Each structure stands twice: as C-alpha cells, then as structure tokens.
Amino acid sequence: MRDLENKVIYQIYPKSFKDTTGSGYGDINGIIEKLDYLKELGVDYIWLSPCCKSPQHDNGYDISDYRQIDERFGTNEDYERLIQEAKKRGMKIMMDLVLNHTSNEHIWFQKALKKDEKYYDYYIWRDEPNELTSMFGGSAWTYSEEVGKYYLRLFDETQPDLNWSNEEVRNDLYDMVNYWIEKGVEGFRLDVIDLIGKEPDKLIVGKGPKFYEYLKELNHKTFSDKLLTVGECWCSSIEESYKMCNPDGLTQAFHFHYQCLAHINGDKWNRAPINLEALCQCFDQWENGYTGIEAIVMNNHDLPRMISVWLNDKEYRKESAKLLITLFGLLKGNLYIYQGEEIGMTNAYFNTIDKYKDVETFNKYKELVEKGLPEEEIMEIIQKVSRDNARIPMQWDDSDNAGFSTGKPWIDVNENYREINVKKDRNSSDGIFDYYKSIIAYRKKHYDTIETTATFRTDGTMITMEKEHFIVYANFSDKVAEIPSKEKVLFHNYKEIRENTLRPYEVIVFEK
Ligand code: GLC
C-alpha cells in the first residue's frame, strides 16, 4: 500500500468547475480543458464528485443510474476520454462511489415500490418508524403510500438506503464498481461508507457490526489493495482507522477531526472559535500516533472554506491561504485539495436564503424558522456553515460569471470573483497557486523530511511544528510575535523576511 502514499488528490465538484456549453452546469469537457492546469499544480489523482445520472436532489449523491453519466455533465464517452486524457498527463481518475443509498428514481427503488419480488428487499422497510434521525434533520423514515410501509433514508427522502445485508445488492454494486475499473478508473472515494453496516432496529448507524466484513468483501471483489481508496468516515478514531485501512479494506479514511474542532458538542451548526491547543493535540495524535497513510484534507464540498472558518479571508487572505497549506502540506500522508483552495477562494457569504441550493441548508433554515430565531441570526449561521459555501462556481477570471459559464450558473458566483480568480492569482508575483505548487513539489522531492516525527507547540496564537529537518512558525492572529530566526528559509508567505518577527498570519519555515 505504501506505493499509494505521498500523492496529491484534487477534488472537483463537476457541477461548479467549468461549463463549456452555456448550460450553467460544469461539465466533463470543461474538466478536460483544465487538465493542464491541474498537471501544473502537481496533481496525481483527480477525484470527481458524482457524475452519474441523478435527479440532483443532493447534487449527484442521489444516483439513479450507476453506469450512465448524467447528460448535464456529458456522455460516457466523454468520461472515458477524460480518463484517457488524464492518463496521458500522468494523472488518474478517482470516482465517487455512493454505495449506501440510491436515488428514489433508481430502477431498483421503482421496482421495490411495486413490491417486485427481488427488488423490494434491496431497501429497508418497516411497519413503524423508530427514533432514527436523518443526517439532514427530521425522521430517517419516510412512509410510502404504494407499499404501505416506511423506508429508511439516512439523508433526504429521495435517497433510500440500500439493504447491504442482501447479498444480491452487494453483488450488483460490486459488478458496477468493476465496470468502472474496466473503464480505467484508478481510485475511489467512498461516500458515507461507514454506514453500510447499520442495524436500524438497534439504532446503530455508523461502523455497525458487519461494516468491516462488508468492506473486506468489497475490497476482495473489486479494487483490492491496488487502487487508491478513501472512505468518508466522520470522527473515526485511530483504532477504527487501522481496522478499516489495511490491504483488505481501504487505503485511507477521512476522519475530519480537524474540522470538528469548530463544532460545539458535535453540532456543526454551532460554531466554536479556533482553539490552537486542541488543534496541536489533534496534529500530534495523527501525525505521530497513526502509522497508516493519513488523508490530509482541509476542504471539500460539504465544508465551509477553512480559510473563512479559521483565518482571515479578507485583509490577510493570501497570507492565510499560504499559512494553511504550509502547515497541512507538510504533514505526512496524501494531500487532498478542493477546487479553488489553490487560489484562496472564500465562503460564499450569500445573505438571503433564496441564493442557496443545498437541501441540508433548507432543512436547517426551516428548523430554525420554526424555532423562532430571527432571520438575521439564521442567515448568520447559514453563511458560516452551509455546504454551498464550497459549492459555488470556480473563479477562473474576471469576465462574466467568473469565466465559469457563458450561461446562468446553477448557483451564483461569489461577488469577490473580480478580485479572486485564477487568472489574477497566476499573474501576480505572490500568487497562492505558485505557493501551493512549491509546497507540492517539495513534498514530492523531500518526502523523507516530511515523514519524520513532529512536535507541535502553541502559545495560544501561534503554532510551531518541528520535524527533524525543519521548523514551521505559523501565526494564527493579527498580533506580531517574536521568534528565533535561522539562516535557511524554506517557505514564507510575506514578500520579505523580518528577522525574529512573525507578523499577522505570517508563516515561515526554517531548515534546521
Ligand atoms: C456525503 C457527501 C454529501 C452527501 C451525503 C449523502 O456526506 O459528501 O455531499 O450529501 O454523503 O450522500
């Protein structure tokens, strides 16, 4: 598995990356157009959020045909061409697999609704709902008039959960995974994979008793330990990571412990200010305590932008973006970059609910309105947390719609696109893209210096990360601090260096 380490994986949210038809949706040809851009950054794998046929109630995480590319994004031929074009440039395609549930428009569910002998049992039915709740709020059970029973759906009601205890379901899914492997897909991101072993009657949802067994079967019947696989497994511990990440399971898993530091009592809608002590502890735990291949991730399509959550995305935006990639980019494992992160894109900051598109955001909005919270307060929460913060179109240049589309984008572009865009960043002498490029190039060349054990310290506003060959000072505040200086500087995010001084949001890496 070690040959799957030290990789850079770039996540594309296809709907918002690049539109070549004027439809307002990004498409696969748009991705092909930008392959050289990704190659230049130093990307090894391109992870695409789901592109299969879908009614898009959850932006493609509700799949109605696993073997058909959604026509909004292009054709199966386009997808295969993307695989080939990426390959030509030495990059691989990582597909997003949604195996926990389908769309209610999937033929399996349609047949289940008709009580088809085979497909009825592809889903989970009960006469009465229990207390299980949906990740998107409310009960996890929806009544079907047609069937006269409730079906389980841990997400939206249009996303019925598959019954993994049915062997036929599992085999159908494995066949589908192999179909894409044959087409040339070389990696998989497994959506909410830790839910497949659920036992609804016992109220067990994540990492149920059969989870590891199913994972092993999936591995053996499909990708084995040859392809790079990453599971979405919120809050998994180090012990759980060893259990799922091994040659019989996955290469790695997203645990999101860093992001969860911003949640109060596990509630992502209730935000805590940054706590550098806890952040250091978390770095220490995983960097020194986990010997598997860690998935280092700051951003994705479900998270508000880390730069907006933790740092200063206005006056010190460039410094902040560089600070984060310096710290996270010098950790061992595989580095995941989410589209737009490499130019310091920020949260969307939409201030009226009609601008948002995400089903989870709407559910939360409704819930808070019902609770009687004032509109202003609700919008403040949504501005901070909504998944749409990361889902707005990629900002390519300062032309209309940020160069994303010539049509009306499915969701508005950020108003700041004239200031923040690829073209401008790449034309400036202190661009974020170039900085990312240099961190990535360093990782590739000097991974041995990254793999050494690290110590993390904080005084409350600054973090120090020390490895055998270098030391990083990162200032998370707008206060000036004093630091010891050394001669050889590996990275820094201000135009010139000031001896013994760490300015607001400054980061500096000295060779020891
Ligand atoms: C994962 C996806 C998210 C989706 C959910 C249901 O968490 O990342 O976007 O809504 O699964 O499929």
Side-chain angles (χ1 to χ4, degrees):
M1 274 181 31
R2 288 287 159 188
D3 53 340
L4 297 172
E5 184 167 356
N6 190 16
K7 303 293 180 212
V8 174
I9 300 112
Y10 186 94
Q11 183 191 355
I12 287 182
Y13 201 61
K15 214 170 172 175
S16 294
F17 192 62
K18 174 75 184 147
D19 173 16
T20 59
T21 63
S23 67
Y25 288 102
D27 51 49
I28 292 168
N29 284 329
I31 300 173
I32 296 175
E33 232 177 59
K34 299 294 180 185
L35 284 175
D36 290 329
Y37 170 80
L38 300 180
K39 182 66 194 167
E40 190 180 343
L41 186 61
V43 170
D44 300 304
Y45 286 77
I46 303 166
W47 152 23
L48 305 185
S49 281
C51 302
C52 289
K53 197 167 158 49
S54 158
Q56 302 283 325
H57 292 296
D58 189 20
N59 283 332
Y61 285 91
D62 48 327
I63 293 178
S64 56
D65 187 343
Y66 285 108
R67 294 176 194 231
Q68 187 68 47
I69 295 300
D70 195 293
E71 57 187 28
R72 290 178 187 84
F73 301 129
T75 62
N76 282 39
E77 289 68 41
D78 292 339
Y79 198 87
E80 285 179 44
R81 203 155 45 81
L82 168 66
I83 296 173
Q84 297 316 324
E85 289 296 322
K87 206 177 206 155
K88 271 191 211 159
R89 294 163 175 83
M91 296 183 288
K92 298 177 161 110
I93 297 298
M94 175 184 267
M95 189 181 225
D96 211 317
L97 281 180
V98 189
L99 304 180
N100 176 68
H101 46 267
T102 65
S103 156
N104 59 347
E105 292 186 18
H106 195 290
I107 184 78
W108 298 342
F109 192 71
Q110 287 301 311
K111 286 191 174 172
L113 286 179
K114 307 229 150 46
K115 296 206 189 138
D116 176 284
E117 216 182 297
K118 175 173 173 185
Y119 292 102
Y120 173 78
D121 193 46
Y122 269 42
Y123 296 88
I124 300 165
W125 302 94
R126 294 291 181 270
D127 292 328
E128 291 299 329
N130 64 9
E131 307 93 283
L132 273 186
T133 52
S134 157
M135 313 285 172
F136 291 165
S139 170
W141 300 94
T142 295
Y143 186 69
S144 156
E145 296 279 350
E146 263 173 288
V147 176
K149 285 182 193 257
Y150 292 83
Y151 62 87
L152 180 73
R153 45 86 176 185
L154 290 173
F155 294 90
D156 187 50
E157 61 181 21
T158 61
Q159 293 168 295
D161 279 56
L162 284 163
N163 176 15
W164 268 73
S165 66
N166 179 338
E167 196 183 344
E168 283 181 296
V169 171
R170 302 202 302 276
N171 285 332
D172 269 351
L173 292 173
Y174 304 155
D175 282 352
M176 175 275 289
V177 175
N178 287 326
Y179 169 85
W180 287 110
I181 293 176
E182 274 163 34
K183 299 284 178 214
V185 167
E186 291 186 78
F188 293 102
R189 178 263 186 187
L190 295 99
D191 188 62
V192 291
I193 193 66
D194 58 336
L195 303 184
I196 60 174
K198 68 185 87 63
E199 291 207 354
D201 300 325
K202 295 188 184 149
L203 304 180
I204 298 175
V205 180
K207 302 175 200 82
K210 292 246 170 148
F211 169 52
Y212 300 100
E213 193 185 302
Y214 292 154
L215 201 54
K216 187 168 172 181
E217 187 182 83
L218 167 64
N219 168 304
H220 287 193
K221 294 204 173 174
T222 62
F223 40 71
S224 74
D225 62 350
K226 302 282 180 294
L227 306 187
L228 203 168
T229 51
V230 56
E232 185 195 18
C233 300
W234 279 80
C235 296
S236 33
S237 64
I238 288 187
E239 293 68 40
E240 287 164 342
S241 295
Y242 286 129
K243 269 173 90 178
M244 51 186 167
C245 304
N246 54 55
D248 290 319
L250 305 169
T251 314
Q252 53 189 185
F254 294 128
H255 56 69
F256 300 118
H257 283 295
Y258 299 109
Q259 287 79 3
C260 290
L261 294 175
H263 306 169
I264 295 175
N265 295 331
D267 174 12
K268 76 170 186 174
W269 299 94
N270 203 350
R271 311 297 285 187
I274 189 165
N275 174 342
L276 295 187
E277 195 78 53
L279 182 58
C280 279
Q281 257 173 29
C282 200
F283 276 137
D284 180 48
Q285 228 174 7
W286 287 90
E287 187 73 354
N288 298 319
Y290 183 57
T291 56
I293 307 169
E294 216 205 319
I296 304 153
V297 62
M298 291 190 272
N299 296 291
N300 73 22
H301 63 291
D302 293 329
L303 301 164
R305 297 269 181 187
M306 194 180 266
I307 186 173
S308 302
V309 174
W310 274 352
L311 284 107
N312 182 318
D313 68 0
K314 305 254 164 13
E315 198 187 342
Y316 293 104
R317 185 184 63 86
K318 280 188 168 178
E319 290 80 2
S320 295
K322 292 176 186 175
L323 179 152
L324 284 172
I325 192 60
T326 311
L327 209 49
F328 282 84
L330 296 178
L331 300 175
K332 65 185 163 65
N334 288 334
L335 180 63
Y336 287 77
I337 297 169
Y338 180 68
Q339 68 181 42
E341 186 190 307
E342 75 283 9
I343 56 158
M345 276 176 60
T346 70
N347 271 357
Y349 295 118
F350 296 148
N351 48 17
T352 52
I353 191 68
D354 58 298
K355 300 257 190 214
Y356 290 86
K357 304 287 175 198
D358 176 25
V359 52
E360 185 197 46
T361 303
F362 290 142
N363 289 349
K364 193 69 198 177
Y365 178 80
K366 258 199 277 167
E367 184 194 312
L368 296 178
V369 169
E370 275 159 25
K371 270 194 188 153
L373 243 70
E375 181 77 11
E376 214 174 285
E377 244 173 77
I378 299 177
M379 287 320 299
E380 214 175 283
I381 296 173
I382 285 175
Q383 275 190 341
K384 279 193 191 143
V385 186
S386 171
R387 306 193 296 180
D388 282 336
N389 278 314
R391 296 177 177 185
I392 51 174
M394 181 74 184
Q395 291 158 216
W396 292 106
D397 56 39
D398 60 4
S399 66
D400 287 352
N401 299 325
F404 158 69
S405 171
T406 54
K408 182 172 165 36
W410 69 277
I411 188 169
D412 283 0
V413 298
N414 197 319
E415 277 178 4
N416 65 21
Y417 78 86
R418 288 201 175 78
E419 259 318 292
I420 306 172
N421 61 64
V422 172
K423 191 171 165 203
K424 187 159 184 195
D425 184 82
R426 304 237 41 209
N427 282 337
S428 75
S429 58
D430 62 344
I432 301 168
F433 182 96
D434 283 338
Y435 193 89
Y436 263 67
K437 225 172 109 176
S438 61
I439 292 273
I440 291 169
Y442 180 86
R443 283 181 73 81
K444 296 213 164 148
K445 199 157 166 214
H446 301 286
Y447 195 63
D448 53 325
T449 70
I450 286 178
E451 277 181 309
T452 69
T453 48
T455 39
F456 298 89
R457 284 186 298 274
T458 182
D459 61 357
T461 54
M462 173 172 86
I463 283 186
T464 313
M465 170 169 86
E466 186 163 4
K467 295 203 176 186
E468 250 174 59
H469 302 273
F470 57 76
I471 180 159
V472 183
Y473 295 98
N475 188 355
F476 279 73
S477 78
D478 52 12
K479 300 192 180 52
V480 176
E482 211 179 295
I483 51 160
S485 287
K486 296 210 165 51
E487 254 164 45
K488 180 137 192 236
V489 175
L490 288 178
F491 296 100
H492 64 102
N493 66 345
Y494 266 64
K495 282 197 179 122
E496 70 296 323
I497 293 157
R498 198 176 295 163
E499 283 269 306
N500 301 110
T501 311
L502 206 59
R503 285 155 289 182
Y505 302 98
E506 182 163 3
V507 70
I508 188 154
V509 186
F510 293 112
E511 199 169 77
K512 286 184 14 187

